[in-house]
Amino acid sequence: MTQVETTVHYDNGYEDEYMIQEEEWDRDMLLDPAWEQQQRKTFTAWCNSHLRKAGVQIENIEEDFRNGLKLMLLLEVISGERLPKPDRGKMRFHKIANVNKALDFITSKGVKLVSIGAEEIVDGNVKMTLGMIWTIILRFAIQDISVEETSAKEGLLLWCQRKTAPYRNVNVQNFHVSWKDGLAFCALIHRHRPDLLDYSKLNKDDPLGNLNLAFDIAEKHLDIPKMLDAEDIINTPKPDERAIMTYVSCFYHAFAGAEQVVFFSIAPWYSENIKKIKYIYILKKTMAEMQRKLEDFRDYRRQHKPPKVQEKCQLEINFNTLQTKLRISNRPAFMPSEGKMVSDIASAWQGLEQAEKGYEEWLLTEIRRLERVDHLAEKFRQKATNHENWASGKELFLSQKDYETATLTEIRALLRKHEAFESDLAAHQDRVEQIAAIAQELNELDYHDVAAVNQRCQSICDLWDKLGTLTQKRREALERTEKLLETIDQLFLEFAKRSAPFNNWMEGAMEDLQDMFIVHTIEEVQSLIAAHEQFKATLPEADSERQAILGIHNEVQKISQSYGIKASFINPYSTITTEELLNKWEKVKKLVPQRDSALQEEMARQHAHERLRRQFAAQANLIGPWIQTRMEEIGRCSLEIGGTLEDQMTQLKQIEHVIVAYKPNIDKLEGDHQLIQESLVFDNKHTNYTMEHIRVGWELLLTTIARTINEIETQILTRDAKGISQQQMNEFRSSFNHFDRKKNGAMETDDFRACLISMGYDLGEVEFARIMMLVDPNATGIVSFQSFIDFMTRETADTDTAEQVVASFRILAADKPYILVEELRRELPPEQAEYCIMRMPPYAGHGAPPGALDYTAFSTALYGESDL
């Protein structure tokens, strides 16, 4: 398939973005032939929707336009204008002539066609034909769409977004995938004709049904022919944008009339406003008056017109509702009186809008003209005043004879000054031309004081001609006196060109050589030394340049002596003297070794800093992990369950002894850190530990070991005071460790609640609050192990033994080894009875009736297990 590049240009001063994207769309089409098929269907239907007005149809879009006859007819229908008479012959040149007439008509409408020729259309080139039809659609169906200061494609997209904004599952962002599910089409129809479909019943997951519904309604009720196939849209990953835009534009034009319906009774309102608008055209206003008129017009648009738009919309709704009810009732349709038909109102409204558009365009054009006139007049005054100020005294200056008594040096200066004046004069030529051009434009714009402008402009031009003549005469006089100074001038110029950069180089070198440097690493010092060595390598070349510059000065002195020139020579191009160059060069030579020494001293200092860093890092990298290891040992020791509390105390004492013995290492690291601080070393790439980290870790270690030892001692005292066995302590520790989720030696409130529930407590909010007051009197939100032990020992002391519970159940069972359900319900409160029935296992002994329960096993499990 041959690629066809179709570019459409408009002569109205802009090219829309979508025009620029045409080539990209064509390239995409080469990758997806389905787009071409969609365009064939859509463009054919679009053309037929217009050709049917002339009683003509096309079947094959590339074949039926080949002779140019139907193409010319299509353009006449959509434009409402007559094209030149077509050639009726059947020869190829007749067909080409007809197609060219059509293309010429398109071009006359401000469209530039690139790469579309009549021969390709006559030959039935599909790509060219589709590109031509797309160009026609853009020009006659899309270009004039305007919504909120946007036009063409952007305006159409904005219109769709505004209309579909309130609808769920509709988000129109483009003209391809946003329309695939059909909801956007249905939303457009429902927004303007809610009587045609029920949007609430539509399903986003039924795109085929949505699309066919929208297409059928548009064809039957809106007179929009079916231009798309639902299956093509659904089965194409990205539907053809041109086809979608073409079809959507038909909705825009179809509903444009619906948005412009008003009540029959407001027809005089149109005529009155049209007369007002047209009357204003004939008066020329001042800028203030025109701006006031523009504001009045905008107030009319904002305040007076919108209610009429609403009335028009309501009119159409009422008219359609009336006609529908009459039709349902088998009654004849309502026919308004002449001049009050909906079409009459629409025509009147269209006339009003045309008048508004013309008035607004004239108003803005007139304001721009007045702004332009005022701006040009002020600009003329400013430029004329500036030029007259500049020209003041120039005639006297050019007429003086100062060169007759001047020395050679003064002649040279006068000549250069004259050259500068000539440059200035040439630069002012544009200003004079601008002044004349502004005066001409003010004449064309009918400026009220144009006579004064012309008189002043003529005066400026006459003076300009006179200055030009005087300038030429003075130059000829000065050049006659210029002889030997030409060579000296060239030497001065060369001296200035070479001495300035050399002087700047020396000044920069002195600044760099004296610049203080702040470094923190050996690498930074090495970088400075390398840069300094590179600088020293350039010194021989710099010395050669210095000698060459001094040689230029010596040449000037030699010429002066040879020709007996007595005047003092001052270089007009430079303020730099040879003495200044010599002094700066000597200073550069003196600063170089000083810089060498400073860099070497800094290198030694940085080596010392590096040693301090490595020394500190070696210690810190050992101490940091050591502290972490001791912390882990303390944590493991405090959580151990197998041994006795005395064993844990022994281990902790040993760890404490190791920690105390390690203190000198911390002190040594503090000393190293002090040296680093005194040396102003702030970073250390050899370790991630800082002294602050070590201090915090060490203090935490000391605090942790002391706290842990204290906790073990307290546990020992509690155990001995309350007679708790080591096994019970281990069980307490096991339960506590299990519910200590964060493993930080304390249970949070939710953890403690879960622990109690696991031990069989039937907790209500009040009961749990009471327990929390016992274990956490300060309301910290955590339960320590010691508080947990105190609570458990108190609970254990107050709890019945298993034997006591078995004896109680035996009494209830009348000395039987089992108990029945009805006995439990008879003897116990309902909640306790149901609790026992749900948890007692069946009695397994002989001679028991069905349903007998084993209260002995229940009591043992309830009060005899360690986890309870």
Side-chain angles (χ1 to χ4, degrees):
M1 185 180 295
T2 304
Q3 178 178 353
V4 178
E5 297 183 357
T6 305
T7 305
V8 182
H9 301 275
Y10 286 86
D11 287 336
N12 55 5
Y14 64 90
E15 292 187 0
D16 293 315
E17 274 188 25
Y18 69 95
M19 297 298 182
I20 299 174
Q21 297 171 357
E22 290 300 298
E23 295 184 3
E24 297 180 12
W25 295 344
D26 286 338
R27 287 193 292 270
D28 290 342
M29 287 179 62
L30 294 178
L31 302 176
D32 191 355
W35 284 12
E36 178 182 331
Q37 184 63 26
Q38 291 179 21
Q39 286 189 19
R40 282 173 175 265
K41 295 178 180 178
T42 303
F43 291 179
T44 300
W46 184 87
C47 292
N48 284 332
S49 70
H50 293 284
L51 288 173
R52 66 184 179 182
K53 300 173 184 177
V56 178
Q57 295 283 286
I58 61 171
E59 298 293 335
N60 190 315
I61 196 167
E62 68 269 25
E63 291 293 331
D64 293 348
F65 285 139
R66 290 181 62 181
N67 61 8
L69 296 177
K70 291 185 178 180
L71 178 59
M72 295 178 67
L73 181 59
L74 173 64
L75 291 173
E76 289 184 347
V77 171
I78 62 178
S79 67
E81 300 178 22
R82 296 291 296 177
L83 271 68
K85 185 177 180 180
D87 294 354
R88 292 297 178 178
K90 297 185 179 181
M91 303 297 291
R92 175 179 173 81
F93 70 87
H94 292 128
K95 299 177 181 179
I96 292 176
N98 290 335
V99 174
N100 273 326
K101 291 176 183 178
L103 296 181
D104 290 341
F105 178 80
I106 297 174
T107 303
S108 70
K109 295 303 178 181
V111 181
K112 293 183 179 179
L113 300 174
V114 180
S115 300
I116 297 180
E119 291 78 6
E120 287 83 0
I121 305 301
V122 173
D123 293 337
N125 187 308
V126 178
K127 287 294 184 182
M128 287 296 182
T129 303
L130 292 176
M132 177 191 65
I133 298 302
W134 175 240
T135 300
I136 295 172
I137 294 172
L138 285 177
R139 173 58 185 85
F140 294 100
I142 298 178
Q143 178 187 336
D144 293 333
I145 294 175
S146 178
V147 178
E148 296 184 10
E149 298 182 357
T150 62
S151 60
K153 177 186 176 183
E154 289 72 18
L156 182 59
L157 182 62
L158 181 59
W159 179 79
C160 295
Q161 292 170 341
R162 293 288 185 270
K163 295 301 181 182
T164 61
Y167 291 85
R168 58 180 175 82
N169 297 328
V170 178
N171 183 16
V172 178
Q173 297 297 327
N174 49 56
F175 288 105
H176 36 82
V177 296
S178 295
W179 304 83
K180 286 193 65 173
D181 59 8
L183 291 180
F185 290 113
C186 293
L188 283 179
I189 295 173
H190 186 267
R191 181 62 181 268
H192 297 87
R193 292 292 303 274
D195 57 308
L196 296 180
L197 59 84
D198 187 353
Y199 187 88
S200 63
K201 295 182 180 180
L202 300 181
N203 185 1
K204 181 178 179 61
D205 297 328
D206 184 21
L208 183 62
N210 298 336
L211 289 168
N212 283 325
L213 175 64
F215 296 164
D216 292 339
I217 291 176
E219 186 174 23
K220 294 178 182 178
H221 299 281
L222 304 178
D223 198 28
I224 299 176
K226 188 174 182 180
M227 300 183 183
L228 302 171
D229 285 339
E231 292 79 8
D232 291 345
I233 296 177
I234 295 173
N235 297 329
T236 305
K238 180 182 177 183
D240 178 60
E241 189 167 13
R242 297 180 177 183
I244 298 293
M245 281 181 62
T246 302
Y247 188 57
V248 173
S249 68
C250 294
F251 282 84
Y252 174 88
H253 293 293
F255 291 133
E259 295 174 354
Q260 299 174 355
V261 176
V262 295
F263 281 102
F264 299 132
S265 59
I266 62 172
W269 181 79
Y270 301 144
S271 301
E272 178 183 352
N273 283 282
I274 292 175
K275 291 177 181 178
K276 289 180 179 178
I277 291 172
K278 292 183 176 179
Y279 175 72
I280 297 173
Y281 282 131
I282 64 175
L283 300 177
K284 285 192 175 180
K285 303 293 183 181
T286 64
M287 175 60 71
E289 291 174 327
M290 295 305 295
Q291 289 176 342
R292 186 169 61 254
K293 289 296 182 183
L294 179 60
E295 186 61 30
D296 292 343
F297 181 71
R298 288 173 177 169
D299 288 341
Y300 153 77
R301 279 273 184 86
R302 290 191 298 263
Q303 300 176 10
H304 302 290
K305 187 177 179 182
K308 302 303 179 180
V309 175
Q310 296 296 327
E311 292 178 15
K312 287 180 60 186
C313 294
Q314 187 62 42
L315 169 66
E316 183 179 11
I317 293 173
N318 293 342
F319 184 80
N320 291 335
T321 302
L322 176 62
Q323 298 294 59
T324 300
K325 290 182 177 180
L326 291 174
R327 184 171 60 254
I328 293 174
S329 302
N330 293 323
R331 296 174 62 185
F334 170 69
M335 293 298 293
S337 59
E338 184 178 356
K340 294 185 178 180
M341 295 288 292
V342 173
S343 58
D344 297 331
I345 300 300
S347 299
W349 184 267
Q350 184 177 7
L352 173 63
E353 290 194 331
Q354 290 175 352
E356 288 176 357
K357 181 179 180 182
Y359 172 60
E360 185 177 24
E361 290 176 355
W362 171 83
L363 198 60
L364 294 175
T365 301
E366 185 64 16
I367 289 176
R368 284 193 290 268
R369 187 192 72 82
L370 291 174
E371 288 177 344
R372 179 66 176 166
V373 168
D374 291 346
H375 171 72
L376 287 176
E378 180 61 26
K379 189 174 181 180
F380 177 84
R381 285 191 290 271
Q382 291 179 359
K383 286 185 175 294
T385 300
N386 291 338
H387 179 76
E388 289 167 349
N389 291 337
W390 172 85
S392 177
K394 295 296 188 295
E395 184 177 355
L396 179 61
F397 163 73
L398 293 172
S399 301
Q400 61 185 346
K401 304 294 184 179
D402 52 348
Y403 55 85
E404 294 180 350
T405 58
T407 64
L408 292 177
T409 303
E410 292 169 341
I411 289 295
R412 183 57 176 156
L414 289 173
L415 185 59
R416 291 291 174 256
K417 186 177 180 181
H418 188 72
E419 290 176 352
F421 174 77
E422 288 179 330
S423 298
D424 194 13
L425 187 68
H428 275 74
Q429 182 175 353
D430 288 342
R431 297 187 179 181
V432 174
E433 293 175 354
Q434 290 176 8
I435 292 172
I438 294 173
Q440 177 64 29
E441 190 169 356
L442 286 172
N443 277 270
E444 294 173 355
L445 292 175
D446 195 18
Y447 179 53
H448 64 87
D449 197 11
V450 72
V453 169
N454 292 336
Q455 182 179 357
R456 193 172 184 184
C457 180
Q458 186 61 46
S459 176
I460 290 172
C461 292
D462 292 343
L463 178 59
W464 176 258
D465 293 338
K466 189 173 184 180
L467 290 179
T469 302
L470 291 174
T471 300
Q472 181 63 27
K473 290 182 178 180
R474 183 171 176 83
R475 162 165 280 282
E476 292 174 356
L478 289 172
E479 287 180 346
R480 284 192 298 267
T481 60
E482 183 185 19
K483 296 190 183 293
L484 293 174
L485 292 179
E486 182 65 31
T487 301
I488 294 177
D489 181 72
Q490 292 298 324
L491 291 173
F492 276 149
L493 183 59
E494 184 178 359
F495 180 90
K497 289 180 177 179
R498 298 180 67 170
S499 64
F502 183 71
N503 182 64
N504 289 336
W505 177 85
M506 288 194 297
E507 289 178 349
M510 289 188 293
E511 291 176 359
D512 292 340
L513 292 171
Q514 298 178 89
D515 185 26
M516 293 182 61
F517 47 81
I518 300 176
V519 294
H520 301 287
T521 64
I522 294 174
E523 290 77 10
E524 291 177 348
V525 179
Q526 290 174 341
S527 177
L528 291 175
I529 292 175
H532 185 61
E533 292 299 325
Q534 292 178 357
F535 169 75
K536 290 195 295 185
T538 63
L539 289 177
E541 182 180 354
D543 188 37
S544 299
E545 179 66 12
R546 178 186 65 86
Q547 294 177 7
I549 294 172
L550 294 177
I552 295 173
H553 177 75
N554 294 336
E555 183 67 19
V556 171
Q557 296 297 326
K558 180 180 179 180
I559 293 175
S560 176
Q561 295 173 2
S562 300
Y563 291 96
I565 299 175
K566 303 298 182 181
S568 60
F569 289 99
I570 299 177
N571 193 331
Y573 306 111
S574 176
T575 59
I576 301 172
T577 64
T578 55
E579 292 77 10
E580 184 180 354
L581 294 177
L582 289 172
N583 292 335
K584 290 181 180 179
W585 177 254
E586 291 300 324
K587 189 172 183 180
V588 169
K589 290 170 61 178
K590 187 183 296 184
L591 288 173
V592 169
Q594 294 177 3
R595 183 73 169 186
D596 283 329
S597 177
L599 288 173
Q600 292 304 321
E601 291 176 1
E602 183 61 29
M603 176 61 78
R605 193 167 71 92
Q606 289 301 324
H607 276 296
H609 290 176
E610 184 66 15
R611 287 193 296 273
L612 290 176
R613 290 189 183 95
R614 292 181 181 275
Q615 182 176 338
F616 177 86
Q619 289 293 321
N621 289 336
L622 294 175
I623 292 174
W626 186 89
I627 292 174
Q628 182 63 30
T629 301
R630 301 290 83 73
M631 290 291 292
E632 293 173 356
E633 289 179 356
I634 294 171
R636 288 195 299 271
C637 182
S638 64
L639 297 176
E640 286 182 356
I641 299 175
T644 65
L645 293 176
E646 285 77 7
D647 294 339
Q648 294 182 18
M649 178 63 72
T650 301
Q651 294 180 20
L652 290 172
K653 289 292 185 181
Q654 292 174 352
I655 295 174
E656 182 183 30
H657 178 72
V658 172
I659 292 173
V660 173
Y662 201 76
K663 182 64 165 59
N665 295 304
I666 303 297
D667 296 337
K668 184 178 183 306
L669 188 65
E670 286 283 5
D672 293 342
H673 178 68
Q674 181 65 27
L675 293 175
I676 286 178
Q677 291 291 306
E678 292 173 354
S679 300
L680 300 179
V681 177
F682 303 109
D683 61 335
N684 193 338
K685 65 181 180 180
H686 305 295
T687 181
N688 292 325
Y689 294 100
T690 65
M691 194 64 229
E692 186 63 26
H693 292 153
I694 299 299
R695 290 191 191 115
V696 172
W698 178 254
E699 292 172 359
L700 180 61
L701 179 61
L702 295 177
T703 303
T704 302
I705 188 63
R707 186 186 71 248
T708 306
I709 290 174
N710 178 261
E711 289 177 353
I712 297 300
E713 290 175 345
T714 303
Q715 293 174 24
I716 292 173
L717 292 175
T718 303
R719 181 198 64 188
D720 295 343
K722 297 188 177 182
I724 302 174
S725 66
Q726 184 62 45
Q727 181 179 2
Q728 287 177 309
M729 289 297 292
N730 291 341
E731 291 174 353
F732 293 158
R733 170 58 72 181
S734 176
S735 297
F736 187 86
N737 290 346
H738 177 74
F739 288 96
D740 179 12
R741 290 180 300 151
K742 295 185 177 179
K743 306 304 178 186
N744 58 0
M747 285 191 291
E748 295 182 355
T749 303
D750 293 339
D751 300 334
F752 183 58
R753 182 193 295 271
C755 181
L756 293 179
I757 293 174
S758 72
M759 291 188 296
Y761 281 84
D762 187 10
L763 294 176
E765 290 298 327
V766 176
E767 177 63 15
F768 183 69
R770 182 189 68 80
I771 295 174
M772 284 301 298
M773 291 182 63
L774 296 175
V775 299
D776 184 19
N778 296 326
T780 61
I782 60 174
V783 179
S784 65
F785 182 61
Q786 184 61 43
S787 298
F788 181 71
I789 292 176
D790 292 342
F791 173 75
M792 293 305 301
T793 54
R794 183 166 54 252
E795 291 293 310
T796 303
D798 296 338
T799 303
D800 292 336
T801 63
E803 290 77 7
Q804 293 173 329
V805 175
V806 170
S808 298
F809 275 116
R810 184 176 293 111
I811 293 172
L812 297 178
D815 292 329
K816 297 191 297 294
Y818 56 84
I819 191 168
L820 300 177
V821 172
E822 54 269 19
E823 292 175 339
L824 288 172
R825 289 175 174 166
R826 181 178 67 246
E827 301 296 339
L828 296 178
E831 292 183 359
Q832 294 182 10
E834 295 303 324
Y835 179 85
C836 294
I837 292 170
M838 291 178 64
R839 286 165 176 76
M840 279 188 185
Y843 182 71
H846 297 289
L853 302 175
D854 190 343
Y855 58 81
T856 302
F858 171 76
S859 301
T860 302
L862 185 62
Y863 292 93
E865 296 296 332
S866 62
D867 60 344
L868 296 175

